[in-house]
């Protein structure tokens, strides 16, 4: 099985880790093992439908990609970055404004 070494970034916590990931597995199937490895057994609180996947080749450009894509399909090379962002949804405009006043949004 082909594998790719890349840096994974959890956006809200700023945690980064270089991981050796399988190239032919959809990103969405890699989330749980990635987060368990980064959190080192800490409880996880996330929904897969609330995550955005972004890829970068190391430049300042980030490309949003589908969680159903594989690293191979995306032509990701070693040294690329994978960023996981939690998508926040708000039921009212005032909730959105309150969240924007907050300094940090915790992913887990």
């Amino acid at each position: 099985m082909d594998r790719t070494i890349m840096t994974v970034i959890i956006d809200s916590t700023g945690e980064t880790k270089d991981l050796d990931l399988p190239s032919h597995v959809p990103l969405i199937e890699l989330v749980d093992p990635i987060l368990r490895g980064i959190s080192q057994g800490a409880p996880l609180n996330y929904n897969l439908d609330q995550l955005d996947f972004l890829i970068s080749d190391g430049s300042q450009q980030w490309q949003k990609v589908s969680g159903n894509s594989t690293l191979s399909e995306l032509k990701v090379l070693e040294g690329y970055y994978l960023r996981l962002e939690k998508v926040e949804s708000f039921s009212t405009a005032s909730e959105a404004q309150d969240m924007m006043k907050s300094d940090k949004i915790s992913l887990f």
Side-chain angles (χ1 to χ4, degrees), residues 1 15 29 33 38 42 44-45 49 56 65-66 68 81 84-85 89 91 94 103:
M1 176 182 279
E15 292 181 74
E29 292 179 26
I38 289 178
L44 305 174
N45 182 20
D49 60 344
S56 173
V65 297
S66 167
N68 295 315
Y81 293 81
L84 302 178
E85 288 185 341
S89 61
S91 60
S94 65
D103 287 340

Side-chain angles (χ1 to χ4, degrees), residues 6 15 20 91 107:
M6 60 187 317
E15 292 181 74
D20 185 8
S91 60
L107 182 58

Side-chain angles (χ1 to χ4, degrees), residues 30-76:
L30 296 175
V31 170
D32 195 53
I34 287 171
L35 296 180
R36 287 189 191 284
I38 289 178
S39 69
Q40 299 176 350
L44 305 174
N45 182 20
Y46 67 93
N47 290 320
L48 291 175
D49 60 344
Q50 292 180 323
L51 291 178
D52 277 344
F53 300 87
L54 297 104
I55 299 284
S56 173
D57 62 2
S59 67
Q60 297 296 321
Q61 297 280 77
W62 290 92
Q63 178 184 359
K64 186 175 174 181
V65 297
S66 167
N68 295 315
S69 300
T70 68
L71 297 174
S72 180
E73 292 169 345
L74 296 168
K75 301 186 184 334
V76 170

Side-chain angles (χ1 to χ4, degrees), residues 87-103:
V87 178
E88 294 290 337
S89 61
F90 304 100
S91 60
T92 66
S94 65
E95 283 183 51
Q97 289 174 347
D98 290 344
M99 281 301 271
M100 289 178 162
K101 292 177 188 173
S102 172
D103 287 340

